[in-house]
Short mmCIF file of all heavy atoms in Angstrom, two decimals:
data_model
loop_
_atom_site.label_atom_id
_atom_site.label_comp_id
_atom_site.label_asym_id
_atom_site.label_seq_id
_atom_site.Cartn_x
_atom_site.Cartn_y
_atom_site.Cartn_z
N MET W 11 0.83 -1.17 -0.05
CA MET W 11 0.03 0.00 0.02
C MET W 11 0.87 1.23 -0.01
O MET W 11 1.94 1.24 0.64
CB MET W 11 -0.86 -0.02 1.23
CG MET W 11 -1.91 1.12 1.20
SD MET W 11 -3.17 1.09 2.47
CE MET W 11 -3.84 -0.47 2.32
N THR W 12 0.45 2.21 -0.72
CA THR W 12 1.24 3.45 -0.86
C THR W 12 1.31 4.24 0.49
O THR W 12 0.36 4.14 1.29
CB THR W 12 0.63 4.35 -1.97
OG1 THR W 12 1.42 5.49 -2.11
CG2 THR W 12 -0.79 4.75 -1.67
N CYS W 13 2.37 4.91 0.68
CA CYS W 13 2.53 5.67 1.93
C CYS W 13 1.98 7.08 1.82
O CYS W 13 1.93 7.81 2.75
CB CYS W 13 4.01 5.73 2.35
SG CYS W 13 5.05 6.52 1.16
N VAL W 14 1.52 7.46 0.63
CA VAL W 14 0.86 8.72 0.37
C VAL W 14 -0.61 8.58 0.32
O VAL W 14 -1.12 7.61 -0.32
CB VAL W 14 1.43 9.31 -1.01
CG1 VAL W 14 0.80 10.68 -1.31
CG2 VAL W 14 2.97 9.42 -0.98
N ALA W 15 -1.29 9.47 0.95
CA ALA W 15 -2.78 9.40 0.94
C ALA W 15 -3.36 9.40 -0.51
O ALA W 15 -2.79 10.06 -1.36
CB ALA W 15 -3.34 10.59 1.70
N PRO W 16 -4.36 8.58 -0.76
CA PRO W 16 -4.94 8.52 -2.10
C PRO W 16 -5.47 9.86 -2.55
O PRO W 16 -6.09 10.58 -1.78
CB PRO W 16 -6.02 7.47 -2.00
CG PRO W 16 -6.21 7.23 -0.56
CD PRO W 16 -5.06 7.74 0.19
N ASP W 17 -5.17 10.20 -3.84
CA ASP W 17 -5.63 11.45 -4.41
C ASP W 17 -7.03 11.23 -5.01
O ASP W 17 -7.14 10.93 -6.21
CB ASP W 17 -4.62 11.95 -5.48
CG ASP W 17 -5.02 13.33 -6.06
OD1 ASP W 17 -5.73 14.06 -5.36
OD2 ASP W 17 -4.66 13.53 -7.21
N VAL W 18 -8.06 11.32 -4.18
CA VAL W 18 -9.45 11.08 -4.60
C VAL W 18 -10.34 12.15 -4.02
O VAL W 18 -9.96 12.80 -3.05
CB VAL W 18 -9.93 9.69 -4.15
CG1 VAL W 18 -9.15 8.55 -4.84
CG2 VAL W 18 -9.84 9.54 -2.64
N HIS W 19 -11.48 12.36 -4.67
CA HIS W 19 -12.46 13.28 -4.19
C HIS W 19 -13.34 12.49 -3.17
O HIS W 19 -13.75 11.35 -3.47
CB HIS W 19 -13.37 13.80 -5.30
CG HIS W 19 -12.57 14.67 -6.23
ND1 HIS W 19 -12.18 15.92 -5.93
CD2 HIS W 19 -12.11 14.39 -7.50
CE1 HIS W 19 -11.54 16.46 -7.00
NE2 HIS W 19 -11.45 15.48 -7.95
N ARG W 20 -13.64 13.11 -2.05
CA ARG W 20 -14.40 12.43 -0.99
C ARG W 20 -15.76 11.93 -1.55
O ARG W 20 -16.21 10.88 -1.11
CB ARG W 20 -14.65 13.33 0.18
CG ARG W 20 -13.33 13.68 0.90
CD ARG W 20 -13.55 14.39 2.21
NE ARG W 20 -14.14 13.56 3.22
CZ ARG W 20 -13.47 12.59 3.92
NH1 ARG W 20 -12.18 12.40 3.66
NH2 ARG W 20 -14.06 11.94 4.85
N ASP W 21 -16.41 12.68 -2.41
CA ASP W 21 -17.76 12.30 -2.89
C ASP W 21 -17.71 11.49 -4.21
O ASP W 21 -18.75 11.05 -4.70
CB ASP W 21 -18.59 13.56 -3.16
CG ASP W 21 -18.82 14.34 -1.88
OD1 ASP W 21 -18.87 13.69 -0.83
OD2 ASP W 21 -19.00 15.56 -1.97
N GLY W 22 -16.53 11.22 -4.72
CA GLY W 22 -16.42 10.50 -5.95
C GLY W 22 -16.66 9.04 -5.82
O GLY W 22 -16.52 8.45 -4.72
N ARG W 23 -17.14 8.38 -6.90
CA ARG W 23 -17.35 6.94 -6.93
C ARG W 23 -16.26 6.36 -7.79
O ARG W 23 -16.07 6.72 -8.95
CB ARG W 23 -18.71 6.57 -7.53
CG ARG W 23 -19.86 7.04 -6.65
CD ARG W 23 -21.14 6.68 -7.26
NE ARG W 23 -22.25 6.98 -6.39
CZ ARG W 23 -23.54 6.65 -6.59
NH1 ARG W 23 -23.84 5.99 -7.70
NH2 ARG W 23 -24.44 6.98 -5.72
N TYR W 24 -15.51 5.35 -7.25
CA TYR W 24 -14.38 4.79 -7.97
C TYR W 24 -14.61 3.28 -8.16
O TYR W 24 -15.08 2.59 -7.32
CB TYR W 24 -13.13 5.00 -7.15
CG TYR W 24 -12.79 6.50 -7.05
CD1 TYR W 24 -13.30 7.23 -5.99
CD2 TYR W 24 -12.07 7.14 -8.04
CE1 TYR W 24 -13.04 8.58 -5.87
CE2 TYR W 24 -11.79 8.47 -7.97
CZ TYR W 24 -12.27 9.19 -6.89
OH TYR W 24 -12.03 10.56 -6.84
N SER W 25 -14.23 2.83 -9.40
CA SER W 25 -14.36 1.43 -9.73
C SER W 25 -13.26 0.68 -8.94
O SER W 25 -12.40 1.26 -8.24
CB SER W 25 -14.06 1.26 -11.23
OG SER W 25 -12.76 1.50 -11.55
N ILE W 26 -13.33 -0.63 -9.03
CA ILE W 26 -12.36 -1.50 -8.31
C ILE W 26 -10.98 -1.21 -8.82
O ILE W 26 -10.02 -1.02 -8.01
CB ILE W 26 -12.72 -2.98 -8.50
CG1 ILE W 26 -14.16 -3.22 -8.05
CG2 ILE W 26 -11.74 -3.86 -7.76
CD1 ILE W 26 -14.46 -2.86 -6.61
N THR W 27 -10.80 -1.08 -10.11
CA THR W 27 -9.43 -0.82 -10.74
C THR W 27 -8.93 0.52 -10.29
O THR W 27 -7.80 0.69 -9.93
CB THR W 27 -9.52 -0.89 -12.25
OG1 THR W 27 -10.02 -2.20 -12.62
CG2 THR W 27 -8.19 -0.67 -12.90
N GLU W 28 -9.79 1.55 -10.35
CA GLU W 28 -9.38 2.89 -9.94
C GLU W 28 -9.01 2.93 -8.44
O GLU W 28 -8.07 3.54 -8.03
CB GLU W 28 -10.53 3.90 -10.16
CG GLU W 28 -10.78 4.16 -11.65
CD GLU W 28 -12.06 4.98 -11.89
OE1 GLU W 28 -12.97 4.87 -11.06
OE2 GLU W 28 -12.09 5.63 -12.91
N SER W 29 -9.80 2.22 -7.65
CA SER W 29 -9.47 2.14 -6.20
C SER W 29 -8.19 1.48 -5.90
O SER W 29 -7.37 1.91 -5.07
CB SER W 29 -10.62 1.37 -5.49
OG SER W 29 -11.86 1.99 -5.67
N ALA W 30 -7.93 0.40 -6.63
CA ALA W 30 -6.66 -0.36 -6.47
C ALA W 30 -5.50 0.53 -6.81
O ALA W 30 -4.46 0.60 -6.15
CB ALA W 30 -6.64 -1.63 -7.31
N LYS W 31 -5.56 1.31 -7.95
CA LYS W 31 -4.51 2.19 -8.32
C LYS W 31 -4.29 3.30 -7.31
O LYS W 31 -3.17 3.66 -7.01
CB LYS W 31 -4.80 2.78 -9.73
CG LYS W 31 -4.63 1.86 -10.85
CD LYS W 31 -4.92 2.50 -12.15
CE LYS W 31 -4.82 1.46 -13.31
NZ LYS W 31 -5.15 2.05 -14.60
N ALA W 32 -5.41 3.84 -6.78
CA ALA W 32 -5.26 4.89 -5.77
C ALA W 32 -4.61 4.44 -4.50
O ALA W 32 -3.83 5.21 -3.90
CB ALA W 32 -6.67 5.46 -5.47
N LEU W 33 -4.82 3.21 -4.13
CA LEU W 33 -4.19 2.67 -2.92
C LEU W 33 -2.88 1.98 -3.13
O LEU W 33 -2.17 1.67 -2.19
CB LEU W 33 -5.16 1.65 -2.27
CG LEU W 33 -6.46 2.23 -1.67
CD1 LEU W 33 -7.38 1.09 -1.23
CD2 LEU W 33 -6.16 3.17 -0.51
N GLY W 34 -2.56 1.74 -4.42
CA GLY W 34 -1.27 1.13 -4.72
C GLY W 34 -1.26 -0.37 -4.43
O GLY W 34 -0.21 -0.92 -4.06
N ILE W 35 -2.41 -1.03 -4.61
CA ILE W 35 -2.51 -2.47 -4.41
C ILE W 35 -3.18 -3.13 -5.60
O ILE W 35 -3.67 -2.42 -6.51
CB ILE W 35 -3.28 -2.83 -3.10
CG1 ILE W 35 -4.66 -2.17 -3.11
CG2 ILE W 35 -2.52 -2.35 -1.87
CD1 ILE W 35 -5.50 -2.50 -1.88
N ASP W 36 -3.23 -4.44 -5.60
CA ASP W 36 -3.82 -5.20 -6.70
C ASP W 36 -5.34 -5.26 -6.55
O ASP W 36 -5.86 -5.18 -5.45
CB ASP W 36 -3.22 -6.62 -6.75
CG ASP W 36 -3.51 -7.30 -8.06
OD1 ASP W 36 -3.04 -6.80 -9.08
OD2 ASP W 36 -4.23 -8.33 -8.04
N ARG W 37 -6.04 -5.47 -7.72
CA ARG W 37 -7.48 -5.58 -7.70
C ARG W 37 -7.99 -6.76 -6.86
O ARG W 37 -8.97 -6.67 -6.13
CB ARG W 37 -8.06 -5.74 -9.10
CG ARG W 37 -7.95 -4.54 -9.93
CD ARG W 37 -8.60 -4.70 -11.31
NE ARG W 37 -8.26 -5.99 -11.93
CZ ARG W 37 -9.20 -6.77 -12.50
NH1 ARG W 37 -10.48 -6.40 -12.59
NH2 ARG W 37 -8.83 -7.91 -13.07
N THR W 38 -7.26 -7.84 -6.88
CA THR W 38 -7.63 -9.00 -6.13
C THR W 38 -7.56 -8.75 -4.63
O THR W 38 -8.34 -9.27 -3.85
CB THR W 38 -6.80 -10.29 -6.45
OG1 THR W 38 -5.42 -9.97 -6.29
CG2 THR W 38 -7.03 -10.72 -7.91
N THR W 39 -6.67 -7.90 -4.22
CA THR W 39 -6.55 -7.52 -2.80
C THR W 39 -7.76 -6.66 -2.42
O THR W 39 -8.34 -6.88 -1.34
CB THR W 39 -5.26 -6.70 -2.59
OG1 THR W 39 -4.15 -7.46 -3.07
CG2 THR W 39 -5.07 -6.39 -1.09
N ILE W 40 -8.23 -5.79 -3.30
CA ILE W 40 -9.43 -5.02 -3.05
C ILE W 40 -10.64 -5.94 -2.87
O ILE W 40 -11.41 -5.81 -1.95
CB ILE W 40 -9.76 -4.05 -4.20
CG1 ILE W 40 -8.69 -2.93 -4.31
CG2 ILE W 40 -11.17 -3.47 -4.11
CD1 ILE W 40 -8.88 -1.78 -3.33
N TYR W 41 -10.73 -6.95 -3.75
CA TYR W 41 -11.88 -7.91 -3.63
C TYR W 41 -11.80 -8.68 -2.34
O TYR W 41 -12.81 -8.89 -1.68
CB TYR W 41 -11.83 -8.91 -4.81
CG TYR W 41 -12.38 -8.32 -6.09
CD1 TYR W 41 -11.53 -8.21 -7.22
CD2 TYR W 41 -13.68 -7.90 -6.24
CE1 TYR W 41 -12.03 -7.67 -8.40
CE2 TYR W 41 -14.20 -7.34 -7.39
CZ TYR W 41 -13.32 -7.25 -8.52
OH TYR W 41 -13.78 -6.74 -9.67
N ARG W 42 -10.60 -9.01 -1.90
CA ARG W 42 -10.39 -9.75 -0.63
C ARG W 42 -10.82 -8.87 0.53
O ARG W 42 -11.53 -9.32 1.45
CB ARG W 42 -8.94 -10.21 -0.49
CG ARG W 42 -8.74 -11.10 0.68
CD ARG W 42 -7.38 -11.76 0.77
NE ARG W 42 -6.33 -10.79 0.68
CZ ARG W 42 -5.39 -10.74 -0.26
NH1 ARG W 42 -5.44 -11.58 -1.27
NH2 ARG W 42 -4.43 -9.86 -0.23
N TYR W 43 -10.40 -7.61 0.53
CA TYR W 43 -10.81 -6.68 1.53
C TYR W 43 -12.32 -6.46 1.60
O TYR W 43 -12.92 -6.32 2.67
CB TYR W 43 -10.10 -5.34 1.40
CG TYR W 43 -8.64 -5.34 1.71
CD1 TYR W 43 -7.76 -4.36 1.16
CD2 TYR W 43 -8.04 -6.30 2.53
CE1 TYR W 43 -6.43 -4.35 1.43
CE2 TYR W 43 -6.72 -6.30 2.80
CZ TYR W 43 -5.88 -5.34 2.27
OH TYR W 43 -4.58 -5.33 2.53
N MET W 44 -12.94 -6.42 0.41
CA MET W 44 -14.39 -6.29 0.34
C MET W 44 -15.11 -7.49 0.95
O MET W 44 -16.07 -7.35 1.66
CB MET W 44 -14.83 -6.02 -1.10
CG MET W 44 -14.38 -4.69 -1.62
SD MET W 44 -14.53 -4.49 -3.44
CE MET W 44 -16.22 -4.77 -3.72
N GLU W 45 -14.55 -8.69 0.60
CA GLU W 45 -15.13 -9.94 1.15
C GLU W 45 -15.02 -10.03 2.66
O GLU W 45 -15.93 -10.50 3.33
CB GLU W 45 -14.42 -11.11 0.47
CG GLU W 45 -15.04 -12.46 0.83
CD GLU W 45 -14.30 -13.56 0.10
OE1 GLU W 45 -14.25 -13.51 -1.15
OE2 GLU W 45 -13.80 -14.46 0.77
N GLN W 46 -13.91 -9.50 3.19
CA GLN W 46 -13.70 -9.50 4.62
C GLN W 46 -14.36 -8.33 5.32
O GLN W 46 -14.25 -8.18 6.52
CB GLN W 46 -12.17 -9.45 4.91
CG GLN W 46 -11.41 -10.63 4.45
CD GLN W 46 -9.93 -10.42 4.59
OE1 GLN W 46 -9.39 -9.35 4.96
NE2 GLN W 46 -9.19 -11.49 4.29
N LYS W 47 -15.10 -7.51 4.53
CA LYS W 47 -15.83 -6.37 5.00
C LYS W 47 -14.95 -5.27 5.63
O LYS W 47 -15.30 -4.56 6.55
CB LYS W 47 -16.91 -6.75 5.98
CG LYS W 47 -17.97 -7.65 5.31
CD LYS W 47 -19.07 -7.92 6.25
CE LYS W 47 -20.13 -8.81 5.77
NZ LYS W 47 -20.51 -9.52 4.85
N LEU W 48 -13.68 -5.17 5.11
CA LEU W 48 -12.77 -4.16 5.55
C LEU W 48 -13.00 -2.89 4.74
O LEU W 48 -12.69 -1.77 5.24
CB LEU W 48 -11.32 -4.60 5.43
CG LEU W 48 -10.92 -5.80 6.30
CD1 LEU W 48 -9.49 -6.23 5.94
CD2 LEU W 48 -11.06 -5.44 7.76
N ILE W 49 -13.48 -3.02 3.55
CA ILE W 49 -13.81 -1.86 2.66
C ILE W 49 -15.30 -1.99 2.31
O ILE W 49 -15.75 -3.00 1.84
CB ILE W 49 -13.00 -1.88 1.35
CG1 ILE W 49 -11.50 -1.64 1.66
CG2 ILE W 49 -13.50 -0.78 0.44
CD1 ILE W 49 -10.61 -1.59 0.44
N LYS W 50 -16.03 -0.93 2.62
CA LYS W 50 -17.43 -0.84 2.27
C LYS W 50 -17.57 -0.42 0.79
O LYS W 50 -16.78 0.36 0.30
CB LYS W 50 -18.17 0.18 3.12
CG LYS W 50 -18.14 -0.23 4.62
CD LYS W 50 -18.73 0.87 5.45
CE LYS W 50 -18.50 0.58 6.91
NZ LYS W 50 -18.87 1.72 7.75
N PHE W 51 -18.59 -0.97 0.10
CA PHE W 51 -18.78 -0.65 -1.29
C PHE W 51 -20.24 -0.50 -1.59
O PHE W 51 -21.13 -0.94 -0.79
CB PHE W 51 -18.16 -1.68 -2.19
CG PHE W 51 -18.75 -3.09 -2.02
CD1 PHE W 51 -19.80 -3.51 -2.80
CD2 PHE W 51 -18.25 -3.93 -1.03
CE1 PHE W 51 -20.32 -4.75 -2.67
CE2 PHE W 51 -18.79 -5.19 -0.85
CZ PHE W 51 -19.83 -5.61 -1.71
N GLY W 52 -20.57 0.12 -2.71
CA GLY W 52 -21.94 0.24 -3.15
C GLY W 52 -22.07 -0.48 -4.50
O GLY W 52 -21.05 -0.91 -5.08
N VAL W 53 -23.31 -0.56 -4.97
CA VAL W 53 -23.58 -1.25 -6.27
C VAL W 53 -24.43 -0.27 -7.09
O VAL W 53 -25.47 0.16 -6.63
CB VAL W 53 -24.30 -2.59 -6.00
CG1 VAL W 53 -24.58 -3.27 -7.37
CG2 VAL W 53 -23.50 -3.52 -5.11
N HIS W 54 -23.96 -0.03 -8.32
CA HIS W 54 -24.70 0.82 -9.25
C HIS W 54 -26.05 0.09 -9.58
O HIS W 54 -26.07 -1.09 -9.84
CB HIS W 54 -23.97 1.01 -10.58
CG HIS W 54 -22.83 2.00 -10.47
ND1 HIS W 54 -23.06 3.32 -10.31
CD2 HIS W 54 -21.52 1.78 -10.45
CE1 HIS W 54 -21.86 3.94 -10.26
NE2 HIS W 54 -20.90 3.00 -10.33
N LYS W 55 -27.15 0.79 -9.57
CA LYS W 55 -28.44 0.19 -9.86
C LYS W 55 -28.61 -0.19 -11.32
O LYS W 55 -29.22 -1.18 -11.66
CB LYS W 55 -29.53 1.18 -9.48
CG LYS W 55 -29.69 1.33 -7.99
CD LYS W 55 -30.87 2.24 -7.66
CE LYS W 55 -30.97 2.41 -6.17
NZ LYS W 55 -32.05 3.34 -5.81
N TYR W 56 -28.01 0.64 -12.22
CA TYR W 56 -28.23 0.40 -13.64
C TYR W 56 -27.37 -0.66 -14.26
O TYR W 56 -27.72 -1.25 -15.30
CB TYR W 56 -28.06 1.74 -14.41
CG TYR W 56 -26.71 2.30 -14.48
CD1 TYR W 56 -25.80 2.00 -15.44
CD2 TYR W 56 -26.30 3.16 -13.43
CE1 TYR W 56 -24.56 2.50 -15.47
CE2 TYR W 56 -25.06 3.73 -13.49
CZ TYR W 56 -24.17 3.39 -14.47
OH TYR W 56 -22.90 3.92 -14.50
N ASN W 57 -26.18 -0.97 -13.68
CA ASN W 57 -25.35 -2.03 -14.29
C ASN W 57 -24.78 -3.02 -13.28
O ASN W 57 -24.01 -3.90 -13.66
CB ASN W 57 -24.19 -1.36 -15.06
CG ASN W 57 -23.21 -0.60 -14.21
OD1 ASN W 57 -23.32 -0.59 -12.97
ND2 ASN W 57 -22.32 0.06 -14.82
N SER W 58 -25.19 -2.90 -12.00
CA SER W 58 -24.78 -3.86 -10.94
C SER W 58 -23.29 -3.92 -10.67
O SER W 58 -22.85 -4.88 -10.14
CB SER W 58 -25.34 -5.25 -11.19
OG SER W 58 -26.74 -5.21 -11.29
N ARG W 59 -22.57 -2.95 -11.12
CA ARG W 59 -21.12 -2.93 -10.83
C ARG W 59 -20.87 -2.25 -9.47
O ARG W 59 -21.58 -1.38 -9.07
CB ARG W 59 -20.38 -2.15 -11.92
CG ARG W 59 -20.37 -2.90 -13.21
CD ARG W 59 -19.43 -2.21 -14.17
NE ARG W 59 -19.46 -2.97 -15.43
CZ ARG W 59 -18.60 -2.75 -16.37
NH1 ARG W 59 -17.64 -1.79 -16.27
NH2 ARG W 59 -18.59 -3.47 -17.47
N ARG W 60 -19.84 -2.79 -8.83
CA ARG W 60 -19.50 -2.27 -7.52
C ARG W 60 -18.64 -1.00 -7.64
O ARG W 60 -17.88 -0.82 -8.61
CB ARG W 60 -18.73 -3.31 -6.76
CG ARG W 60 -19.58 -4.47 -6.36
CD ARG W 60 -18.83 -5.50 -5.63
NE ARG W 60 -18.56 -6.62 -6.51
CZ ARG W 60 -17.99 -7.76 -6.11
NH1 ARG W 60 -17.58 -7.93 -4.93
NH2 ARG W 60 -17.87 -8.75 -7.01
N PHE W 61 -18.79 -0.11 -6.66
CA PHE W 61 -17.97 1.11 -6.57
C PHE W 61 -17.61 1.39 -5.15
O PHE W 61 -18.25 0.84 -4.22
CB PHE W 61 -18.69 2.31 -7.21
CG PHE W 61 -19.94 2.74 -6.44
CD1 PHE W 61 -19.83 3.58 -5.39
CD2 PHE W 61 -21.17 2.20 -6.79
CE1 PHE W 61 -20.97 3.95 -4.68
CE2 PHE W 61 -22.32 2.59 -6.10
CZ PHE W 61 -22.19 3.45 -4.99
N ILE W 62 -16.58 2.17 -4.96
CA ILE W 62 -16.14 2.53 -3.61
C ILE W 62 -16.08 4.05 -3.56
O ILE W 62 -15.51 4.68 -4.49
CB ILE W 62 -14.75 1.91 -3.31
CG1 ILE W 62 -14.81 0.45 -3.39
CG2 ILE W 62 -14.26 2.36 -1.95
CD1 ILE W 62 -13.46 -0.31 -3.32
N LEU W 63 -16.64 4.64 -2.53
CA LEU W 63 -16.58 6.09 -2.40
C LEU W 63 -15.17 6.56 -2.03
O LEU W 63 -14.46 5.84 -1.33
CB LEU W 63 -17.59 6.52 -1.29
CG LEU W 63 -19.11 6.34 -1.62
CD1 LEU W 63 -19.91 6.74 -0.40
CD2 LEU W 63 -19.48 7.17 -2.80
N GLY W 64 -14.85 7.77 -2.46
CA GLY W 64 -13.55 8.30 -2.14
C GLY W 64 -13.34 8.46 -0.63
O GLY W 64 -12.27 8.22 -0.11
N SER W 65 -14.40 8.84 0.12
CA SER W 65 -14.30 8.94 1.53
C SER W 65 -13.96 7.57 2.19
O SER W 65 -13.22 7.50 3.19
CB SER W 65 -15.58 9.45 2.14
OG SER W 65 -16.65 8.65 1.81
N GLU W 66 -14.45 6.48 1.63
CA GLU W 66 -14.13 5.12 2.17
C GLU W 66 -12.68 4.79 1.90
O GLU W 66 -12.03 4.16 2.70
CB GLU W 66 -15.10 4.13 1.54
CG GLU W 66 -14.81 2.72 1.97
CD GLU W 66 -15.02 2.41 3.50
OE1 GLU W 66 -15.57 3.31 4.18
OE2 GLU W 66 -14.57 1.36 3.93
N LEU W 67 -12.19 5.14 0.71
CA LEU W 67 -10.82 4.92 0.39
C LEU W 67 -9.89 5.63 1.36
O LEU W 67 -8.90 5.06 1.84
CB LEU W 67 -10.49 5.34 -1.10
CG LEU W 67 -11.10 4.46 -2.14
CD1 LEU W 67 -10.86 5.12 -3.50
CD2 LEU W 67 -10.59 3.04 -2.12
N ILE W 68 -10.19 6.86 1.64
CA ILE W 68 -9.38 7.68 2.57
C ILE W 68 -9.50 7.11 3.95
O ILE W 68 -8.45 6.97 4.64
CB ILE W 68 -9.82 9.15 2.56
CG1 ILE W 68 -9.54 9.78 1.19
CG2 ILE W 68 -9.20 9.94 3.67
CD1 ILE W 68 -10.21 11.11 0.94
N ARG W 69 -10.66 6.67 4.38
CA ARG W 69 -10.82 6.05 5.70
C ARG W 69 -10.02 4.78 5.83
O ARG W 69 -9.29 4.59 6.76
CB ARG W 69 -12.30 5.76 5.98
CG ARG W 69 -12.52 5.17 7.38
CD ARG W 69 -13.69 4.29 7.45
NE ARG W 69 -13.70 3.13 6.62
CZ ARG W 69 -13.08 1.98 6.85
NH1 ARG W 69 -12.35 1.81 7.95
NH2 ARG W 69 -13.08 0.93 5.99
N PHE W 70 -10.12 3.95 4.82
CA PHE W 70 -9.42 2.67 4.80
C PHE W 70 -7.89 2.89 4.82
O PHE W 70 -7.19 2.24 5.56
CB PHE W 70 -9.81 1.82 3.61
CG PHE W 70 -9.08 0.52 3.56
CD1 PHE W 70 -9.36 -0.52 4.37
CD2 PHE W 70 -8.00 0.37 2.66
CE1 PHE W 70 -8.67 -1.70 4.33
CE2 PHE W 70 -7.26 -0.77 2.58
CZ PHE W 70 -7.63 -1.84 3.46
N TRP W 71 -7.42 3.78 3.97
CA TRP W 71 -6.00 4.06 3.93
C TRP W 71 -5.48 4.54 5.29
O TRP W 71 -4.46 4.10 5.76
CB TRP W 71 -5.68 5.10 2.86
CG TRP W 71 -4.24 5.47 2.85
CD1 TRP W 71 -3.27 4.75 2.16
CD2 TRP W 71 -3.59 6.53 3.48
NE1 TRP W 71 -2.04 5.43 2.39
CE2 TRP W 71 -2.21 6.47 3.18
CE3 TRP W 71 -4.06 7.58 4.33
CZ2 TRP W 71 -1.28 7.43 3.71
CZ3 TRP W 71 -3.15 8.45 4.80
CH2 TRP W 71 -1.77 8.39 4.52
N GLY W 72 -6.23 5.45 5.88
CA GLY W 72 -5.82 5.97 7.21
C GLY W 72 -5.81 4.90 8.26
O GLY W 72 -4.86 4.83 9.07
N ALA W 73 -6.75 4.01 8.24
CA ALA W 73 -6.84 2.91 9.24
C ALA W 73 -5.67 1.90 9.07
O ALA W 73 -5.09 1.43 10.01
CB ALA W 73 -8.15 2.21 9.17
N GLU W 74 -5.39 1.58 7.82
CA GLU W 74 -4.31 0.62 7.51
C GLU W 74 -2.93 1.21 7.62
O GLU W 74 -2.01 0.60 8.19
CB GLU W 74 -4.50 0.04 6.14
CG GLU W 74 -5.76 -0.90 6.00
CD GLU W 74 -5.59 -2.07 6.90
OE1 GLU W 74 -4.57 -2.81 6.85
OE2 GLU W 74 -6.56 -2.33 7.65
N TYR W 75 -2.76 2.40 7.14
CA TYR W 75 -1.41 3.01 7.09
C TYR W 75 -1.00 3.48 8.46
O TYR W 75 0.20 3.47 8.79
CB TYR W 75 -1.34 4.17 6.10
CG TYR W 75 0.02 4.69 5.88
CD1 TYR W 75 0.95 3.87 5.20
CD2 TYR W 75 0.46 5.87 6.38
CE1 TYR W 75 2.26 4.35 5.01
CE2 TYR W 75 1.72 6.30 6.22
CZ TYR W 75 2.62 5.55 5.58
OH TYR W 75 3.91 5.97 5.37
N MET W 76 -1.90 3.90 9.30
CA MET W 76 -1.58 4.48 10.60
C MET W 76 -1.49 3.37 11.69
O MET W 76 -1.35 3.69 12.88
CB MET W 76 -2.60 5.52 11.01
CG MET W 76 -2.69 6.68 10.06
SD MET W 76 -1.08 7.49 9.96
CE MET W 76 -1.36 8.68 8.69
N ARG W 77 -1.55 2.15 11.32
CA ARG W 77 -1.44 1.08 12.31
C ARG W 77 -0.17 1.05 13.03
O ARG W 77 0.90 1.25 12.62
CB ARG W 77 -1.59 -0.28 11.66
CG ARG W 77 -2.99 -0.75 11.52
CD ARG W 77 -3.04 -2.16 11.05
NE ARG W 77 -4.43 -2.56 10.93
CZ ARG W 77 -4.81 -3.73 10.52
NH1 ARG W 77 -3.90 -4.67 10.21
NH2 ARG W 77 -6.05 -3.96 10.42
#
């Protein structure tokens, strides 16, 4: 995971790939964190794809990086 806070907008919705790039980790790691309920996500109503809010990415990075 990157040591620099992710450069995201708090209200933005980010795909799994975008979230992984912002945190500096692999997509499969994002899926694992989602399965373990460490990262909260939403689902688009029109295409059923998952997204992660920018505020959640910042919260997760702070919780993991500041351990």
Side-chain angles (χ1 to χ4, degrees):
M11 185 171 309
T12 183
C13 62
V14 178
D17 183 26
V18 295
H19 295 286
R20 294 190 70 77
D21 297 331
R23 293 181 176 188
Y24 296 91
S25 69
I26 304 303
T27 301
E28 292 170 331
S29 299
K31 285 181 184 177
L33 292 173
I35 56 179
D36 195 63
R37 288 183 321 133
T38 55
T39 307
I40 292 278
Y41 285 117
R42 187 171 55 243
Y43 288 157
M44 290 166 59
E45 186 177 303
Q46 295 172 355
K47 298 185 181 3
L48 297 175
I49 294 181
K50 297 175 189 171
F51 62 93
V53 180
H54 286 288
K55 289 182 181 180
Y56 66 92
N57 64 7
S58 300
R59 289 189 179 191
R60 292 180 253 186
F61 65 87
I62 302 172
L63 292 176
S65 58
E66 178 63 12
L67 291 173
I68 293 168
R69 183 208 60 82
F70 177 76
W71 177 84
E74 291 296 309
Y75 188 71
M76 299 301 176
R77 274 188 182 181

